């Protein structure tokens, strides 16, 4: 980086900061909050910080002007750190992300943040933009010469895959498409008119108007942003409504302002893209975590097995809900924890991001606590890294996850919305713990294993199969060649399913989708482990593998019979 470029950057920053300070202090504060010279304490504090920043820039400009050799030496050190340590791409992407977030903060100054803060927010955005432009200008030749990090080169990953893994993925992609298409006839049902839809809808009829309100036209920017971000019903997190809004955006563009009445196309898009598609993607990722796509028959069998679970088939028909989306981000969290391999690198950060989104959608990310704690403790016990590096990795995970929750839940920045969210959360916690305020002649609103087992058996597996899968998951967690993956799965299931069984009295079937879909992904762990270790005792291990596959096949056939009844039952 040339010293002249940095000098010009400082001059631009100094001018921008002075202009921001002038605009920030141009109008006095409200009379009731004025503290000194007509300004509030907060205004004075922010102005002081901005003045210190201006003084720091002025000092930097003086240093560059009077000691150019030392200044150039510092810039050369920064160049070496960015290029030689492979930080250039990561630093550039981080700057771009912060710049985009700063643009979002400016928008929120018309909704949440005080309007008087806009000059400072604009200043921050312009400073970040100038840094982005400087980096891309100063290092344009370097960007052409060096390769991006591996996670930015997905095509290289595809090219590096062995033929067996490519072929397996292609077969699974075809099966995914067929499965996706299979639910279109079902998900078109009861959507001919708004009256028909609301007459047959359950939860969908409650959340559909909320989604439609996000598209309501408004006369002011404040009102438009309010519709987009502050949806006022916080039973489900904002990422669910944001993804749902993207799903129906083509219909909004095509049909105009009255598209809310087009329930047929809207509900089809929502059910297919927000329910069916995330389930398929979750199953694909889980299959990869278990088989790495290296065993084609096992991969195909596990994929079909997961999608044939009666609870999954029930969920995919006529049910637009946030559970599948939350499951997808939990699965991604476990996937990134697996890929990280105790290195605490970019995959660790990705896991924190997806965990934060899962938490923002429906609090499911918080049940990853045991899996994350296991990774940290195992790294400490196995001496993968020093104690303080592991502590810093845990702190980074917590900070990134918390930041993502706040960023993906903009209503949390508004005091009135936080209060409403807290009230809804308290109300739902009591409902989940004690049941709805209605008659319960069958005594369903109970907690404990005995109360939940009939609901597990109804849609998620026979008692004998649940026991078999649990034994297989336990054995491979203790003796398997890849103990890390089954341990992550087991700890997620223990945390999420344990909470449901012992703290939730309401028995809605979709509550079991997150733990049970992930739990069933480990059903093939034991036969795969037996095949890998068959050379030890060929006859015994082969017989045990065949027995395991027979048990899985028996459950699969029983599920297919139930699936056919479930699928047909949707039709009038």
């Amino acid at each position: 980086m040339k010293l002249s470029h940095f000098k010009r950057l400082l001059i631009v920053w100094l001018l921008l900061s002075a202009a921001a300070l002038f605009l920030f202090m141009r109008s006095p504060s409200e009379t009731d909050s004025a503290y000194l010279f007509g300004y509030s304490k907060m205004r004075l504090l922010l102005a002081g910080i901005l003045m210190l920043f201006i003084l720091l820039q002025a000092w930097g400009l003086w240093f560059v002007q009077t000691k150019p050799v030392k200044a150039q030496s510092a810039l050369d050190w920064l160049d070496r750190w960015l290029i030689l340590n492979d930080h250039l791409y990561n630093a550039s992407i981080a700057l771009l992300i912060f710049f985009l977030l700063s643009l979002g903060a400016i928008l929120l100054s018309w909704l949440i943040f005080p309007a008087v803060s806009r000059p400072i927010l604009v200043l921050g955005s312009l400073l970040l933009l100038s840094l982005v432009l400087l980096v891309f200008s100063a290092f344009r030749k370097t960007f052409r010469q060096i390769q991006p990090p591996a996670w930015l080169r997905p095509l290289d990953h595809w090219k590096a895959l062995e033929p067996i893994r490519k072929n397996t993925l292609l077969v699974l992609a075809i099966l995914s498409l067929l499965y996706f298409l299979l639910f279109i006839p079902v998900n078109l049902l009861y959507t001919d008119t708004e009256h028909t839809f609301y007459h047959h809808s359950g939860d969908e009829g409650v959340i559909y108007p909320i989604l439609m309100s996000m598209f309501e036209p408004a006369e002011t920017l404040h009102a438009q942003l309010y519709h987009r971000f502050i949806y006022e019903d916080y039973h489900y997190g904002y990422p669910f409504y944001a993804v749902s809004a993207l799903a129906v955006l083509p219909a909004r563009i095509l049909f105009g302002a009255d598209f809310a009445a087009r329930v047929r196309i809207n509900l089809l898009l929502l059910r297919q893209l927000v329910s069916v598609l995330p389930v398929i993607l979750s199953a694909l990722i889980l299959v990869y975590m278990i088989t790495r796509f290296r065993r084609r028959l096992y991969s195909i069998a596990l994929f079909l097995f997961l999608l044939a679970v009666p609870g999954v088939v029930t969920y995919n028909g006529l049910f637009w809900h946030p559970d599948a989306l939350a499951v997808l981000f939990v699965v991604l969290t476990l996937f990134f924890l697996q890929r990280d391999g105790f290195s605490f690198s970019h995959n660790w950060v990705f896991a924190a991001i997806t965990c934060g989104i899962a938490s923002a959608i429906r609090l499911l990310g918080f049940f990853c606590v045991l899996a994350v704690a296991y990774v940290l403790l195992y790294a400490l016990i196995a001496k993968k890294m020093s104690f303080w590096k592991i502590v810093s990795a845990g702190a980074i995970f917590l900070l990134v996850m918390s930041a993502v929750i706040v960023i993906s839940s903009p209503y949390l920045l508004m005091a009135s919305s936080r209060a409403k969210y807290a009230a809804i959360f308290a109300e739902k916690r009591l409902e989940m713990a004690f049941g709805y305020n209605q008659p319960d002649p069958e005594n369903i609103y109970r907690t404990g294993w005995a109360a939940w087992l009939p609901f597990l058996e109804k849609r998620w597996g026979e008692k004998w199969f649940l026991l078999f899968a649990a034994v297989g998951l336990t054995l491979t967690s203790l003796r398997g060649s890849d103990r890390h993956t089954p341990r992550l799965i087991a700890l997620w299931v223990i945390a999420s399913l344990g909470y449901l069984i012992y703290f939730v009295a309401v028995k809605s079937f979709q509550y079991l989708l997150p733990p049970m879909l992930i739990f069933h992904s480990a059903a093939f762990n034991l036969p795969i482990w037996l095949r890998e270790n068959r050379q030890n005792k060929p006859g015994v291990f082969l017989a045990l593998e065949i027995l395991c596959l027979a048990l899985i096949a028996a459950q699969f056939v029983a599920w297919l019979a139930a699936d056919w009844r479930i699928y047909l039952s949707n039709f009038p």
Side-chain angles (χ1 to χ4, degrees):
M1 186 185 299
K2 293 182 180 179
L3 188 63
S4 58
H5 293 165
F6 186 68
K7 183 178 178 180
R8 284 197 290 269
L9 179 70
L10 284 176
I11 293 173
V12 171
W13 279 16
L14 195 59
L15 293 174
L16 289 174
S17 300
L21 180 62
F22 169 74
L23 294 173
F24 183 62
M25 302 299 287
R26 184 176 58 176
S27 58
S29 302
E30 298 291 337
T31 305
D32 57 348
S33 62
Y35 175 72
L36 185 65
F37 305 125
Y39 299 109
S40 66
K41 292 181 180 180
M42 181 58 66
R43 286 275 291 279
L44 292 171
L45 175 62
L46 292 175
I49 294 173
L50 188 53
M51 290 179 68
L52 287 175
F53 182 58
I54 292 173
L55 290 174
L56 180 63
Q57 293 171 75
W59 175 85
L61 196 58
W62 170 84
F63 184 82
V64 168
Q65 189 69 29
T66 58
K67 299 180 180 181
V69 176
K70 288 186 176 180
Q72 185 62 60
S73 176
L75 290 176
D76 291 341
W77 174 87
L78 179 61
D79 289 353
R80 290 192 298 272
W81 182 82
L82 287 171
I83 298 171
L84 298 180
N85 294 329
D86 295 328
H87 292 311
L88 182 57
Y89 269 98
N90 291 335
S92 304
I93 292 169
L95 285 174
L96 282 171
I97 291 173
F98 282 119
F99 171 65
L100 293 175
L101 291 176
S102 69
L103 294 179
I106 293 172
L107 276 179
L108 292 179
S109 68
W110 274 273
L111 177 64
I112 295 173
F113 302 138
V116 71
S117 67
R118 202 169 297 145
I120 293 181
L121 294 174
V122 172
L123 170 65
S125 186
L126 291 174
L127 296 184
L128 287 167
L129 177 60
S130 62
L131 271 179
V132 169
L133 295 176
L134 176 65
V135 168
F136 281 99
S137 173
F139 296 99
R140 61 184 182 278
K141 293 182 180 178
T142 307
F143 277 114
R144 298 193 192 104
Q145 295 170 357
I146 63 175
Q147 275 195 331
W151 62 275
L152 282 176
R153 292 181 277 121
L155 288 179
D156 289 356
H157 290 289
W158 172 255
K159 293 176 183 177
L161 285 178
E162 305 96 312
I164 181 65
R165 299 172 79 183
K166 287 183 179 179
N167 294 336
T168 300
L169 182 54
L170 288 174
V171 172
L172 294 179
I174 294 171
L175 292 174
S176 299
L177 178 60
L178 294 175
Y179 188 84
F180 183 83
L181 297 175
L182 179 67
F183 284 93
I184 290 179
V186 174
N187 286 326
L188 280 171
L189 294 174
Y190 308 117
T191 56
D192 296 326
T193 64
E194 285 187 272
H195 174 75
T196 305
F197 163 61
Y198 283 111
H199 180 71
H200 290 90
S201 67
D203 287 357
E204 289 179 329
V206 177
I207 57 182
Y208 184 75
I210 298 170
L211 176 65
M212 292 301 104
S213 69
M214 296 174 69
F215 291 93
E216 290 180 1
E219 295 181 357
T220 65
L221 180 61
H222 175 275
Q224 289 180 358
L225 293 174
Y226 192 91
H227 287 322
R228 303 299 183 270
F229 296 109
I230 313 298
Y231 53 98
E232 295 187 348
D233 187 275
Y234 307 118
H235 290 85
Y236 309 129
Y238 182 76
F240 164 65
Y241 285 103
V243 172
S244 298
L246 289 175
V248 297
L249 184 59
R252 172 64 177 84
I253 296 172
L254 184 62
F255 297 114
D258 65 338
F259 91 108
R262 310 276 183 160
V263 292
R264 188 171 180 81
I265 183 64
N266 291 339
L267 265 296
L268 178 65
L269 290 171
L270 292 169
R271 290 166 176 173
Q272 292 291 125
L273 298 180
V274 187
S275 289
V276 180
L277 183 60
V279 167
I280 294 173
L281 294 176
S282 299
L284 283 171
I285 297 169
L286 289 168
V287 171
Y288 178 81
M289 290 177 65
I290 301 299
T291 69
R292 302 296 198 281
F293 296 160
R294 289 194 176 98
R295 298 184 181 276
R296 183 184 300 166
L297 291 179
Y298 269 117
S299 298
I300 295 171
L302 177 56
F303 183 66
L304 294 175
F305 184 81
L306 291 176
L307 295 182
V309 178
V312 173
V313 174
T314 304
Y315 182 88
N316 285 332
L318 302 173
F319 201 65
W320 162 53
H321 226 246
D323 304 87
L325 203 61
V327 170
L328 175 60
F329 283 100
V330 169
V331 170
L332 284 170
T333 301
L334 299 178
F335 169 72
F336 287 126
L337 289 177
Q338 181 203 56
R339 282 182 63 84
D340 183 65
F342 305 102
S343 65
F344 302 110
S345 60
H346 59 275
N347 282 304
W348 180 254
V349 177
F350 292 158
I353 292 171
T354 54
C355 189
I357 297 174
S359 302
I361 294 172
R362 207 166 186 187
L363 304 180
L364 291 183
F366 291 108
F367 296 116
C368 294
V369 60
L370 294 183
V372 173
Y374 151 72
V375 173
L376 294 170
L377 288 174
Y378 185 89
L380 180 62
I381 295 170
K383 298 181 179 178
K384 300 284 185 180
M385 286 186 177
S386 67
F387 172 77
W388 289 113
K389 284 186 177 180
I390 293 172
V391 170
S392 65
I396 288 171
F397 191 99
L398 185 61
L399 288 173
V400 171
M401 177 182 169
S402 302
V404 169
I405 291 173
V406 173
I407 292 169
S408 60
S409 308
Y411 60 85
L412 292 176
L413 298 172
M414 184 176 284
S416 59
S417 296
R418 286 198 304 272
K420 189 167 184 178
Y421 170 77
I424 290 174
F425 179 80
E427 177 188 357
K428 292 301 295 183
R429 185 177 61 82
L430 290 175
E431 284 183 354
M432 293 299 100
F434 301 104
Y436 298 114
N437 186 20
Q438 61 185 27
D440 183 21
E442 298 179 3
N443 197 22
I444 291 176
Y445 296 148
R446 293 178 295 122
T447 58
W449 183 254
W452 273 94
L453 184 57
F455 293 89
L456 280 165
E457 290 187 285
K458 185 177 181 180
R459 288 191 177 94
W460 302 100
E462 302 291 339
K463 190 187 305 182
W464 60 267
F465 184 79
L466 297 176
L467 179 61
F468 159 75
V471 170
L473 182 58
T474 303
L475 289 177
T476 52
S477 297
L478 300 175
R479 299 294 299 274
S481 57
D482 175 21
R483 304 176 192 180
H484 183 46
T485 302
R487 287 174 181 175
L488 291 174
I489 291 173
L491 289 169
W492 155 258
V493 173
I494 288 171
S496 56
L497 189 59
Y499 171 77
L500 278 177
I501 290 174
Y502 294 104
F503 295 95
V504 176
V506 177
K507 306 297 189 300
S508 295
F509 84 96
Q510 72 269 18
Y511 295 163
L512 289 164
L513 177 69
M516 296 310 294
L517 179 66
I518 297 174
F519 171 71
H520 283 310
S521 70
F524 282 72
N525 274 4
L526 190 53
I528 290 175
W529 178 77
L530 290 168
R531 175 176 284 264
E532 290 174 347
N533 295 272
R534 195 186 293 175
Q535 67 275 10
N536 298 328
K537 295 180 180 180
V540 175
F541 276 42
L542 176 59
L544 289 174
E545 182 186 353
I546 293 173
L547 176 61
C548 291
L549 293 176
L551 293 173
I552 293 172
Q555 181 63 92
F556 182 66
V557 170
W559 280 349
L560 288 180
D563 291 339
W564 183 247
R565 293 192 297 271
I566 291 169
Y567 187 83
L568 291 180
S569 68
N570 290 306
F571 293 90

